[in-house]
Coordinates of all heavy atoms in Angstrom, one line a residue:
M1 N -27.6 -6.3 -69.8 CA -28.7 -6.3 -68.8 C -28.1 -5.9 -67.4 O -27.1 -6.3 -67.0 CB -29.3 -7.7 -68.7 CG -30.7 -7.8 -68.3 SD -31.3 -9.5 -68.1 CE -32.5 -9.5 -69.4
S2 N -28.9 -5.1 -66.6 CA -28.4 -4.6 -65.4 C -28.7 -5.6 -64.3 O -29.4 -6.6 -64.5 CB -29.1 -3.3 -65.0 OG -30.5 -3.6 -64.6
L3 N -28.0 -5.4 -63.1 CA -28.2 -6.3 -62.0 C -29.7 -6.3 -61.5 O -30.3 -7.3 -61.2 CB -27.3 -6.0 -60.8 CG -27.4 -6.9 -59.6 CD1 -27.1 -8.3 -59.9 CD2 -26.4 -6.4 -58.5
D4 N -30.3 -5.1 -61.6 CA -31.7 -5.0 -61.2 C -32.6 -5.8 -62.1 O -33.5 -6.5 -61.7 CB -32.1 -3.5 -61.3 CG -31.9 -2.8 -59.9 OD1 -31.5 -3.4 -59.0 OD2 -32.2 -1.6 -59.9
D5 N -32.3 -5.7 -63.4 CA -33.1 -6.6 -64.4 C -32.9 -8.0 -64.1 O -33.9 -8.8 -64.1 CB -32.6 -6.3 -65.8 CG -32.9 -4.9 -66.3 OD1 -33.9 -4.3 -65.7 OD2 -32.3 -4.4 -67.2
L6 N -31.7 -8.4 -63.8 CA -31.4 -9.9 -63.5 C -32.2 -10.3 -62.2 O -32.8 -11.4 -62.2 CB -29.9 -10.1 -63.4 CG -29.1 -9.9 -64.7 CD1 -27.6 -9.9 -64.4 CD2 -29.4 -11.1 -65.7
R7 N -32.1 -9.4 -61.2 CA -32.8 -9.7 -60.0 C -34.3 -9.8 -60.2 O -35.0 -10.6 -59.5 CB -32.5 -8.7 -58.9 CG -31.1 -8.9 -58.4 CD -30.6 -7.9 -57.3 NE -29.4 -8.2 -56.7 CZ -28.7 -7.4 -55.9 NH1 -29.1 -6.2 -55.7 NH2 -27.5 -7.8 -55.4
Q8 N -34.8 -8.9 -61.0 CA -36.3 -9.0 -61.3 C -36.6 -10.3 -61.9 O -37.7 -10.9 -61.7 CB -36.7 -7.8 -62.3 CG -37.1 -6.6 -61.5 CD -37.6 -5.5 -62.5 OE1 -38.1 -5.8 -63.5 NE2 -37.4 -4.2 -62.0
S9 N -35.8 -10.8 -62.8 CA -36.0 -12.1 -63.4 C -36.0 -13.2 -62.4 O -36.8 -14.1 -62.4 CB -34.9 -12.4 -64.5 OG -34.9 -11.5 -65.5
L10 N -35.0 -13.1 -61.4 CA -35.0 -14.1 -60.3 C -36.2 -14.0 -59.5 O -36.8 -15.0 -59.1 CB -33.7 -13.9 -59.5 CG -32.4 -14.2 -60.2 CD1 -31.2 -13.7 -59.3 CD2 -32.3 -15.6 -60.6
D11 N -36.7 -12.8 -59.2 CA -37.9 -12.6 -58.4 C -39.1 -13.2 -59.0 O -39.9 -13.9 -58.3 CB -38.2 -11.1 -58.1 CG -37.2 -10.5 -57.1 OD1 -36.5 -11.2 -56.4 OD2 -37.2 -9.2 -57.0
R12 N -39.2 -13.0 -60.3 CA -40.4 -13.6 -61.0 C -40.3 -15.2 -60.9 O -41.3 -15.8 -60.7 CB -40.4 -13.2 -62.5 CG -41.1 -11.9 -62.7 CD -41.4 -11.6 -64.2 NE -40.1 -11.5 -65.0 CZ -39.5 -10.3 -65.1 NH1 -40.0 -9.2 -64.6 NH2 -38.4 -10.2 -65.8
I13 N -39.1 -15.7 -61.1 CA -39.0 -17.2 -61.0 C -39.3 -17.6 -59.6 O -40.0 -18.6 -59.3 CB -37.6 -17.6 -61.5 CG1 -37.5 -17.4 -63.0 CG2 -37.3 -19.1 -61.1 CD1 -36.1 -17.5 -63.5
D14 N -38.8 -16.9 -58.6 CA -39.0 -17.3 -57.2 C -40.5 -17.2 -56.9 O -41.1 -18.1 -56.1 CB -38.3 -16.3 -56.2 CG -36.8 -16.6 -56.2 OD1 -36.4 -17.7 -56.6 OD2 -36.0 -15.7 -55.9
N15 N -41.2 -16.3 -57.5 CA -42.7 -16.2 -57.3 C -43.4 -17.5 -57.8 O -44.3 -18.1 -57.2 CB -43.3 -15.0 -58.0 CG -42.9 -13.7 -57.4 OD1 -42.3 -13.7 -56.4 ND2 -43.2 -12.6 -58.2
E16 N -42.9 -18.0 -58.9 CA -43.4 -19.2 -59.5 C -43.1 -20.4 -58.7 O -44.0 -21.3 -58.4 CB -42.9 -19.4 -60.9 CG -43.5 -18.5 -62.0 CD -42.9 -18.7 -63.4 OE1 -42.8 -19.9 -63.7 OE2 -42.6 -17.8 -64.1
V17 N -41.9 -20.5 -58.2 CA -41.5 -21.6 -57.3 C -42.3 -21.6 -56.1 O -42.8 -22.6 -55.6 CB -40.0 -21.5 -56.9 CG1 -39.6 -22.5 -55.9 CG2 -39.1 -21.7 -58.2
M18 N -42.6 -20.4 -55.5 CA -43.4 -20.3 -54.3 C -44.8 -20.8 -54.5 O -45.4 -21.5 -53.7 CB -43.4 -18.8 -53.8 CG -44.0 -18.6 -52.5 SD -43.2 -19.4 -51.1 CE -44.3 -20.7 -50.7
A19 N -45.4 -20.4 -55.7 CA -46.7 -20.8 -56.0 C -46.8 -22.3 -56.2 O -47.7 -23.0 -55.7 CB -47.2 -20.1 -57.2
L20 N -45.8 -22.9 -56.8 CA -45.7 -24.3 -57.0 C -45.6 -25.1 -55.7 O -46.2 -26.2 -55.5 CB -44.6 -24.7 -58.0 CG -44.9 -24.3 -59.5 CD1 -43.7 -24.5 -60.3 CD2 -46.1 -25.1 -60.0
L21 N -44.7 -24.5 -54.8 CA -44.6 -25.2 -53.5 C -45.9 -25.2 -52.7 O -46.3 -26.2 -52.1 CB -43.5 -24.5 -52.6 CG -42.1 -24.8 -53.0 CD1 -41.1 -23.9 -52.2 CD2 -41.7 -26.2 -52.8
A22 N -46.6 -24.1 -52.8 CA -48.0 -24.0 -52.1 C -48.9 -25.0 -52.8 O -49.7 -25.7 -52.1 CB -48.5 -22.6 -52.2
Q23 N -48.9 -25.1 -54.1 CA -49.7 -26.1 -54.8 C -49.3 -27.5 -54.4 O -50.2 -28.4 -54.1 CB -49.4 -26.0 -56.3 CG -50.5 -26.2 -57.2 CD -50.1 -25.9 -58.7 OE1 -49.7 -24.8 -59.0 NE2 -50.2 -26.9 -59.5
R24 N -48.0 -27.8 -54.2 CA -47.6 -29.1 -53.8 C -48.1 -29.4 -52.4 O -48.5 -30.5 -52.1 CB -46.0 -29.2 -53.9 CG -45.5 -30.6 -53.9 CD -44.0 -30.7 -53.9 NE -43.6 -32.0 -54.3 CZ -43.7 -33.1 -53.5 NH1 -44.2 -33.0 -52.3 NH2 -43.2 -34.3 -53.9
A25 N -47.9 -28.4 -51.5 CA -48.4 -28.6 -50.1 C -49.9 -28.8 -50.0 O -50.3 -29.5 -49.1 CB -47.9 -27.3 -49.3
N26 N -50.6 -28.2 -50.9 CA -52.1 -28.5 -50.9 C -52.4 -29.9 -51.3 O -53.3 -30.5 -50.7 CB -52.8 -27.5 -51.9 CG -53.2 -26.2 -51.2 OD1 -53.9 -26.3 -50.1 ND2 -52.8 -25.1 -51.7
I27 N -51.6 -30.5 -52.2 CA -51.8 -31.9 -52.5 C -51.4 -32.8 -51.3 O -52.0 -33.8 -51.0 CB -50.9 -32.3 -53.7 CG1 -51.2 -31.4 -54.9 CG2 -51.2 -33.8 -54.1 CD1 -52.2 -31.8 -55.9
I28 N -50.3 -32.3 -50.6 CA -49.9 -33.1 -49.4 C -51.0 -33.1 -48.3 O -51.2 -34.1 -47.7 CB -48.6 -32.4 -48.8 CG1 -47.4 -32.6 -49.7 CG2 -48.3 -32.9 -47.4 CD1 -46.9 -34.0 -49.8
L29 N -51.8 -32.0 -48.2 CA -53.0 -32.1 -47.3 C -53.9 -33.2 -47.7 O -54.4 -33.9 -46.8 CB -53.8 -30.8 -47.5 CG -53.2 -29.5 -46.9 CD1 -54.1 -28.3 -47.2 CD2 -53.0 -29.6 -45.4
Q30 N -54.1 -33.4 -49.0 CA -55.0 -34.5 -49.5 C -54.3 -35.9 -49.2 O -55.0 -36.8 -48.9 CB -55.3 -34.3 -51.0 CG -56.1 -33.1 -51.3 CD -56.3 -32.9 -52.8 OE1 -56.8 -33.8 -53.4 NE2 -55.9 -31.7 -53.3
V31 N -53.0 -36.0 -49.4 CA -52.3 -37.2 -49.1 C -52.4 -37.6 -47.6 O -52.7 -38.7 -47.3 CB -50.8 -37.1 -49.5 CG1 -50.0 -38.4 -49.1 CG2 -50.7 -36.9 -51.1
A32 N -52.3 -36.6 -46.8 CA -52.4 -36.8 -45.3 C -53.8 -37.3 -45.0 O -53.9 -38.3 -44.2 CB -52.1 -35.5 -44.6
D33 N -54.8 -36.7 -45.6 CA -56.2 -37.2 -45.4 C -56.4 -38.6 -45.9 O -57.0 -39.4 -45.2 CB -57.2 -36.3 -46.1 CG -57.4 -35.0 -45.4 OD1 -56.9 -34.8 -44.2 OD2 -58.1 -34.1 -45.9
F34 N -55.8 -38.9 -47.0 CA -56.0 -40.2 -47.6 C -55.3 -41.3 -46.7 O -55.9 -42.3 -46.4 CB -55.3 -40.3 -49.0 CG -55.5 -41.6 -49.7 CD1 -56.5 -41.8 -50.6 CD2 -54.6 -42.6 -49.5 CE1 -56.7 -43.0 -51.2 CE2 -54.7 -43.9 -50.1 CZ -55.8 -44.1 -51.0
K35 N -54.1 -41.0 -46.2 CA -53.4 -42.0 -45.4 C -54.1 -42.1 -44.0 O -54.1 -43.2 -43.4 CB -52.0 -41.5 -45.2 CG -51.1 -41.8 -46.5 CD -49.7 -41.5 -46.2 CE -48.9 -41.6 -47.5 NZ -47.4 -41.3 -47.3
K36 N -54.7 -41.0 -43.6 CA -55.5 -41.1 -42.3 C -56.6 -42.0 -42.5 O -56.9 -42.8 -41.6 CB -55.9 -39.7 -41.9 CG -56.5 -39.6 -40.5 CD -55.4 -39.4 -39.5 CE -55.9 -39.4 -38.1 NZ -54.9 -39.1 -37.1
E37 N -57.3 -41.9 -43.6 CA -58.5 -42.8 -43.9 C -58.1 -44.2 -44.2 O -58.8 -45.1 -43.7 CB -59.3 -42.1 -45.0 CG -60.7 -42.7 -45.1 CD -61.5 -42.0 -46.2 OE1 -61.2 -40.8 -46.5 OE2 -62.4 -42.7 -46.8
H38 N -57.1 -44.4 -45.0 CA -56.8 -45.7 -45.5 C -55.6 -46.4 -44.9 O -55.3 -47.5 -45.1 CB -56.5 -45.7 -47.1 CG -57.7 -45.1 -47.8 ND1 -58.8 -46.0 -48.2 CD2 -58.0 -43.9 -48.3 CE1 -59.6 -45.2 -48.9 NE2 -59.2 -44.0 -48.9
G39 N -54.9 -45.6 -44.0 CA -53.7 -46.2 -43.4 C -52.5 -46.0 -44.2 O -52.5 -45.5 -45.3
G40 N -51.3 -46.4 -43.6 CA -50.1 -46.3 -44.3 C -49.2 -45.2 -43.7 O -49.8 -44.2 -43.2
P41 N -47.9 -45.4 -43.6 CA -47.0 -44.5 -42.9 C -46.9 -43.2 -43.7 O -46.9 -43.2 -45.0 CB -45.7 -45.2 -42.9 CG -45.7 -46.2 -44.0 CD -47.2 -46.6 -44.2
V42 N -46.7 -42.1 -43.0 CA -46.4 -40.8 -43.7 C -45.1 -40.9 -44.5 O -45.0 -40.6 -45.6 CB -46.3 -39.7 -42.7 CG1 -45.7 -38.4 -43.3 CG2 -47.7 -39.4 -42.1
Y43 N -44.1 -41.5 -43.8 CA -42.7 -41.5 -44.4 C -42.6 -42.7 -45.3 O -42.8 -43.9 -44.9 CB -41.7 -41.6 -43.3 CG -40.3 -41.5 -43.8 CD1 -39.9 -40.8 -44.9 CD2 -39.2 -42.2 -43.1 CE1 -38.6 -40.7 -45.4 CE2 -37.9 -42.1 -43.5 CZ -37.6 -41.4 -44.6 OH -36.3 -41.4 -45.1
D44 N -42.3 -42.5 -46.6 CA -42.2 -43.6 -47.6 C -40.8 -43.3 -48.3 O -40.7 -42.6 -49.3 CB -43.3 -43.5 -48.6 CG -43.3 -44.7 -49.6 OD1 -42.2 -45.3 -49.7 OD2 -44.3 -45.0 -50.2
P45 N -39.7 -43.8 -47.7 CA -38.4 -43.5 -48.2 C -38.2 -44.0 -49.6 O -37.5 -43.3 -50.4 CB -37.4 -44.3 -47.2 CG -38.3 -45.1 -46.4 CD -39.7 -44.7 -46.5
A46 N -38.8 -45.1 -50.0 CA -38.6 -45.7 -51.4 C -39.2 -44.7 -52.4 O -38.7 -44.4 -53.4 CB -39.3 -47.0 -51.5
R47 N -40.4 -44.1 -52.0 CA -41.0 -43.1 -52.9 C -40.2 -41.9 -53.0 O -40.0 -41.3 -54.1 CB -42.4 -42.8 -52.3 CG -43.1 -41.6 -53.0 CD -43.5 -41.8 -54.4 NE -44.2 -40.7 -54.9 CZ -44.2 -40.3 -56.2 NH1 -43.7 -41.1 -57.2 NH2 -44.9 -39.2 -56.6
E48 N -39.6 -41.5 -51.9 CA -38.8 -40.3 -51.9 C -37.5 -40.5 -52.8 O -37.1 -39.7 -53.6 CB -38.4 -39.8 -50.5 CG -39.6 -39.4 -49.7 CD -39.2 -38.6 -48.4 OE1 -38.0 -38.3 -48.2 OE2 -40.1 -38.4 -47.6
D49 N -36.9 -41.7 -52.7 CA -35.8 -42.0 -53.5 C -36.1 -42.0 -55.0 O -35.3 -41.6 -55.8 CB -35.2 -43.4 -53.1 CG -34.4 -43.3 -51.8 OD1 -34.2 -42.2 -51.3 OD2 -34.1 -44.4 -51.2
A50 N -37.3 -42.6 -55.3 CA -37.8 -42.6 -56.7 C -38.0 -41.2 -57.2 O -37.6 -40.9 -58.4 CB -39.1 -43.4 -56.8
I51 N -38.5 -40.3 -56.4 CA -38.7 -38.9 -56.8 C -37.3 -38.3 -57.1 O -37.1 -37.6 -58.2 CB -39.4 -38.1 -55.8 CG1 -40.9 -38.6 -55.6 CG2 -39.4 -36.6 -56.1 CD1 -41.6 -38.0 -54.4
I52 N -36.4 -38.5 -56.2 CA -35.0 -37.9 -56.4 C -34.4 -38.4 -57.7 O -33.8 -37.7 -58.4 CB -34.1 -38.2 -55.2 CG1 -34.8 -37.7 -53.9 CG2 -32.7 -37.7 -55.4 CD1 -34.6 -36.2 -53.6
A53 N -34.5 -39.8 -57.8 CA -33.9 -40.4 -59.0 C -34.5 -39.9 -60.3 O -33.8 -39.5 -61.3 CB -34.0 -41.9 -58.9
R54 N -35.8 -39.7 -60.3 CA -36.5 -39.2 -61.5 C -36.1 -37.8 -61.8 O -35.8 -37.5 -63.0 CB -38.0 -39.3 -61.3 CG -38.9 -39.0 -62.5 CD -40.4 -39.2 -62.2 NE -40.9 -38.3 -61.3 CZ -41.2 -37.0 -61.6 NH1 -41.1 -36.6 -62.8 NH2 -41.7 -36.2 -60.6
L55 N -36.0 -37.0 -60.8 CA -35.6 -35.6 -61.0 C -34.2 -35.4 -61.4 O -33.8 -34.6 -62.2 CB -36.0 -34.7 -59.8 CG -37.5 -34.6 -59.5 CD1 -37.7 -33.9 -58.2 CD2 -38.2 -33.9 -60.7
S56 N -33.3 -36.3 -60.9 CA -31.9 -36.2 -61.2 C -31.7 -36.5 -62.7 O -30.9 -35.9 -63.4 CB -31.1 -37.3 -60.4 OG -31.2 -37.0 -59.1
N57 N -32.5 -37.5 -63.2 CA -32.5 -37.8 -64.6 C -33.0 -36.7 -65.5 O -32.6 -36.6 -66.7 CB -33.2 -39.1 -64.9 CG -32.5 -40.3 -64.4 OD1 -31.2 -40.4 -64.5 ND2 -33.1 -41.3 -63.9
L58 N -33.9 -35.9 -64.9 CA -34.6 -34.8 -65.7 C -33.7 -33.6 -65.7 O -34.0 -32.7 -66.5 CB -35.9 -34.5 -65.1 CG -37.2 -35.2 -65.5 CD1 -38.4 -34.6 -64.7 CD2 -37.4 -35.1 -67.0
N59 N -32.7 -33.5 -64.8 CA -32.0 -32.3 -64.6 C -31.3 -31.8 -66.0 O -30.5 -32.5 -66.5 CB -30.9 -32.5 -63.6 CG -30.0 -31.2 -63.3 OD1 -30.5 -30.1 -63.7 ND2 -28.8 -31.4 -62.8
P60 N -31.7 -30.7 -66.5 CA -31.2 -30.2 -67.8 C -29.9 -29.4 -67.6 O -29.3 -29.0 -68.6 CB -32.3 -29.3 -68.3 CG -33.0 -28.7 -67.1 CD -32.8 -29.8 -66.0
G61 N -29.4 -29.2 -66.3 CA -28.3 -28.4 -66.1 C -28.7 -26.9 -66.2 O -29.8 -26.6 -66.5
P62 N -27.8 -26.0 -65.8 CA -26.4 -26.2 -65.5 C -26.2 -26.5 -64.0 O -25.1 -26.7 -63.6 CB -25.8 -24.8 -65.8 CG -26.9 -23.8 -65.6 CD -28.2 -24.6 -65.9
L63 N -27.3 -26.5 -63.2 CA -27.1 -26.8 -61.8 C -26.6 -28.3 -61.6 O -27.2 -29.2 -62.2 CB -28.5 -26.6 -61.1 CG -28.5 -26.3 -59.6 CD1 -27.7 -25.1 -59.2 CD2 -30.0 -26.2 -59.1
P64 N -25.6 -28.6 -60.8 CA -25.1 -30.0 -60.7 C -26.2 -30.8 -60.1 O -27.0 -30.4 -59.2 CB -24.0 -29.9 -59.7 CG -23.5 -28.4 -59.7 CD -24.8 -27.6 -60.0
T65 N -26.3 -32.1 -60.5 CA -27.3 -33.0 -60.0 C -27.2 -33.2 -58.5 O -28.3 -33.3 -57.9 CB -27.1 -34.4 -60.7 OG1 -27.4 -34.2 -62.1 CG2 -28.1 -35.4 -60.2
E66 N -26.0 -33.1 -57.9 CA -25.9 -33.2 -56.5 C -26.7 -32.1 -55.8 O -27.3 -32.3 -54.7 CB -24.5 -33.2 -56.0 CG -23.6 -34.4 -56.5 CD -23.2 -34.2 -58.0 OE1 -23.0 -33.1 -58.4 OE2 -23.2 -35.3 -58.7
A67 N -26.6 -30.9 -56.4 CA -27.3 -29.7 -55.8 C -28.8 -29.9 -55.9 O -29.6 -29.6 -55.0 CB -26.9 -28.5 -56.6
V68 N -29.3 -30.4 -57.1 CA -30.7 -30.7 -57.3 C -31.2 -31.7 -56.2 O -32.2 -31.5 -55.6 CB -31.0 -31.3 -58.7 CG1 -32.4 -31.7 -58.8 CG2 -30.7 -30.2 -59.8
E69 N -30.4 -32.7 -56.0 CA -30.7 -33.7 -55.0 C -30.8 -33.1 -53.6 O -31.8 -33.4 -52.9 CB -29.7 -34.9 -55.0 CG -29.8 -35.8 -56.2 CD -28.8 -37.0 -56.2 OE1 -28.3 -37.2 -55.1 OE2 -28.7 -37.6 -57.2
R70 N -29.9 -32.3 -53.3 CA -29.9 -31.7 -51.9 C -31.2 -30.8 -51.8 O -31.8 -30.8 -50.7 CB -28.6 -30.9 -51.7 CG -27.4 -31.7 -51.3 CD -26.3 -30.8 -50.7 NE -25.8 -29.9 -51.7 CZ -24.8 -30.1 -52.5 NH1 -24.2 -31.2 -52.6 NH2 -24.5 -29.1 -53.4
I71 N -31.4 -30.0 -52.8 CA -32.6 -29.1 -52.8 C -33.9 -29.9 -52.6 O -34.7 -29.7 -51.8 CB -32.7 -28.3 -54.0 CG1 -31.6 -27.2 -54.1 CG2 -34.1 -27.6 -54.2 CD1 -31.4 -26.6 -55.4
Y72 N -34.0 -31.0 -53.4 CA -35.2 -31.8 -53.3 C -35.3 -32.6 -52.1 O -36.4 -32.8 -51.6 CB -35.4 -32.6 -54.6 CG -36.7 -32.3 -55.2 CD1 -36.9 -31.1 -56.0 CD2 -37.9 -33.0 -54.9 CE1 -38.1 -30.7 -56.4 CE2 -39.1 -32.6 -55.3 CZ -39.2 -31.5 -56.1 OH -40.5 -31.1 -56.5
R73 N -34.2 -33.1 -51.5 CA -34.3 -33.8 -50.2 C -34.8 -32.9 -49.2 O -35.6 -33.3 -48.3 CB -32.9 -34.3 -49.8 CG -32.3 -35.4 -50.6 CD -32.3 -36.7 -49.8 NE -31.8 -37.8 -50.6 CZ -32.6 -38.9 -51.0 NH1 -33.8 -39.0 -50.5 NH2 -32.1 -39.8 -51.8
T74 N -34.4 -31.6 -49.2 CA -34.9 -30.6 -48.2 C -36.4 -30.4 -48.4 O -37.2 -30.3 -47.5 CB -34.2 -29.3 -48.3 OG1 -32.8 -29.6 -48.1 CG2 -34.7 -28.3 -47.4
I75 N -36.8 -30.2 -49.7 CA -38.2 -30.0 -50.0 C -39.1 -31.2 -49.5 O -40.1 -31.0 -48.8 CB -38.5 -29.8 -51.5 CG1 -37.9 -28.4 -51.9 CG2 -40.0 -29.9 -51.9 CD1 -37.9 -28.2 -53.4
L76 N -38.6 -32.4 -49.8 CA -39.3 -33.6 -49.4 C -39.4 -33.7 -47.9 O -40.4 -34.2 -47.3 CB -38.7 -34.9 -50.0 CG -38.9 -35.0 -51.5 CD1 -38.2 -36.2 -52.1 CD2 -40.4 -35.0 -51.9
E77 N -38.3 -33.4 -47.2 CA -38.3 -33.5 -45.7 C -39.3 -32.5 -45.2 O -40.1 -32.8 -44.2 CB -36.9 -33.1 -45.2 CG -36.8 -33.3 -43.7 CD -35.4 -32.9 -43.2 OE1 -34.5 -32.5 -44.0 OE2 -35.2 -32.8 -42.0
E78 N -39.4 -31.3 -45.7 CA -40.4 -30.3 -45.2 C -41.8 -30.7 -45.5 O -42.7 -30.5 -44.7 CB -40.1 -28.9 -45.8 CG -38.8 -28.3 -45.3 CD -38.7 -28.1 -43.7 OE1 -39.8 -28.0 -43.1 OE2 -37.6 -28.1 -43.2
M79 N -42.0 -31.3 -46.7 CA -43.3 -31.8 -47.1 C -43.8 -32.9 -46.1 O -44.9 -33.0 -45.7 CB -43.3 -32.3 -48.5 CG -43.2 -31.2 -49.6 SD -44.6 -30.2 -49.7 CE -43.9 -28.7 -50.6
R80 N -42.8 -33.8 -45.8 CA -43.1 -34.9 -44.9 C -43.4 -34.4 -43.5 O -44.3 -34.9 -42.9 CB -41.8 -35.8 -44.9 CG -42.0 -37.1 -44.2 CD -40.7 -37.7 -43.8 NE -39.7 -37.7 -44.8 CZ -38.4 -37.3 -44.6 NH1 -38.0 -37.0 -43.3 NH2 -37.5 -37.3 -45.5
N81 N -42.6 -33.5 -43.0 CA -42.9 -32.9 -41.7 C -44.3 -32.3 -41.7 O -45.1 -32.4 -40.7 CB -41.9 -31.8 -41.3 CG -40.5 -32.5 -41.1 OD1 -40.4 -33.7 -40.9 ND2 -39.5 -31.6 -41.1
F82 N -44.6 -31.5 -42.7 CA -45.9 -30.9 -42.8 C -47.0 -32.0 -42.9 O -48.0 -31.9 -42.1 CB -46.0 -30.0 -44.1 CG -47.3 -29.4 -44.4 CD1 -47.9 -28.6 -43.4 CD2 -48.0 -29.6 -45.6 CE1 -49.2 -28.0 -43.7 CE2 -49.2 -29.0 -45.8 CZ -49.8 -28.2 -44.9
E83 N -46.8 -33.0 -43.7 CA -47.8 -34.1 -43.8 C -48.0 -34.8 -42.4 O -49.1 -35.1 -42.0 CB -47.3 -35.1 -44.8 CG -48.3 -36.2 -45.1 CD -47.8 -37.2 -46.1 OE1 -47.2 -36.8 -47.1 OE2 -48.1 -38.4 -45.9
A84 N -46.9 -35.0 -41.7 CA -47.0 -35.6 -40.3 C -47.8 -34.7 -39.4 O -48.7 -35.3 -38.6 CB -45.6 -35.9 -39.8
I85 N -47.6 -33.4 -39.4 CA -48.4 -32.5 -38.5 C -49.9 -32.6 -38.9 O -50.7 -32.7 -38.0 CB -47.9 -31.1 -38.7 CG1 -46.5 -31.0 -38.1 CG2 -48.8 -30.1 -38.0 CD1 -45.7 -29.7 -38.4
V86 N -50.2 -32.5 -40.2 CA -51.6 -32.6 -40.6 C -52.2 -33.9 -40.2 O -53.3 -34.0 -39.7 CB -51.7 -32.3 -42.1 CG1 -53.1 -32.5 -42.6 CG2 -51.2 -30.9 -42.5
H87 N -51.4 -35.0 -40.5 CA -51.9 -36.3 -40.3 C -52.2 -36.5 -38.8 O -53.3 -37.1 -38.4 CB -50.8 -37.3 -40.7 CG -51.2 -38.8 -40.7 ND1 -51.0 -39.5 -39.5 CD2 -51.8 -39.6 -41.6 CE1 -51.5 -40.7 -39.8 NE2 -51.9 -40.8 -41.0
D88 N -51.3 -36.1 -37.9 CA -51.5 -36.3 -36.5 C -52.6 -35.4 -35.9 O -53.2 -35.7 -34.9 CB -50.2 -36.0 -35.7 CG -49.1 -37.1 -36.1 OD1 -49.5 -38.1 -36.8 OD2 -48.0 -36.9 -35.8
A89 N -52.8 -34.2 -36.5 CA -53.8 -33.3 -36.0 C -55.2 -33.6 -36.4 O -56.2 -33.2 -35.8 CB -53.5 -31.9 -36.5
S90 N -55.4 -34.4 -37.5 CA -56.7 -34.7 -38.0 C -57.4 -35.9 -37.4 O -56.7 -36.7 -36.7 CB -56.7 -34.8 -39.5 OG -56.0 -35.9 -39.9
Ligands
PRE101 O1 -46.2 -40.1 -51.8 C1 -46.4 -40.2 -50.6 O2 -46.8 -41.2 -50.0 C2 -46.4 -38.9 -49.8 O3 -46.6 -39.0 -48.6 C3 -45.9 -37.7 -50.4 C4 -44.4 -37.5 -50.2 C5 -44.0 -36.3 -51.1 O4 -43.8 -35.2 -50.6 O5 -43.9 -36.5 -52.3 C6 -44.2 -37.1 -48.8 C7 -43.8 -38.1 -47.8 C8 -43.3 -39.4 -48.2 O6 -42.2 -39.8 -47.5 C9 -43.2 -39.6 -49.7 C10 -43.6 -38.7 -50.6

């Protein structure tokens, strides 16, 4: 397989990751609305830890679990920042 072929495979996967992140962010919009209506802090560290722990256990490899945790901590931080912006603006 050529490098171009391999990169095409990566591009296809990145497209899927992007679509899933957008899907996740759309749910975050709903979570922000829910918390605005019913109360409760945007930041829920226990929930974030539970997500990380669940995904660490799901990790099939070959990416090290520490890498998965770092990636997901970043995703959750950005989702939380986005949720706070939406929450405060509405
Ligand atoms: O589950 C929540 O309460 C959310 O606000 C969603 C979410 C997430 O991205 O999954 C975002 C911020 C919180 O700190 C915890 C989790």
Side-chain angles (χ1 to χ4, degrees):
M1 208 184 246
S2 72
L3 181 57
D4 270 356
D5 290 339
L6 293 168
R7 284 177 173 171
Q8 269 185 27
S9 298
L10 293 173
D11 285 348
R12 273 194 293 273
I13 290 167
D14 289 339
N15 292 350
E16 287 181 40
V17 170
M18 188 64 250
L20 289 171
L21 282 173
Q23 213 175 301
R24 199 182 194 290
N26 271 306
I27 308 265
I28 291 290
L29 288 176
Q30 296 176 53
V31 173
D33 282 352
F34 184 94
K35 288 185 182 177
K36 191 82 184 182
E37 194 178 331
H38 299 277
V42 166
Y43 184 33
D44 185 339
R47 170 66 179 155
E48 293 194 12
D49 286 347
I51 293 170
I52 302 278
R54 190 175 66 79
L55 292 174
S56 296
N57 285 325
L58 273 183
N59 179 22
L63 204 56
T65 294
E66 298 73 37
V68 172
E69 287 184 14
R70 282 195 297 272
I71 290 166
Y72 236 81
R73 287 251 175 246
T74 301
I75 289 173
L76 290 176
E77 185 183 354
E78 292 301 334
M79 292 287 163
R80 187 202 316 139
N81 291 343
F82 175 58
E83 186 180 321
I85 290 166
V86 173
H87 185 271
D88 294 351
S90 64

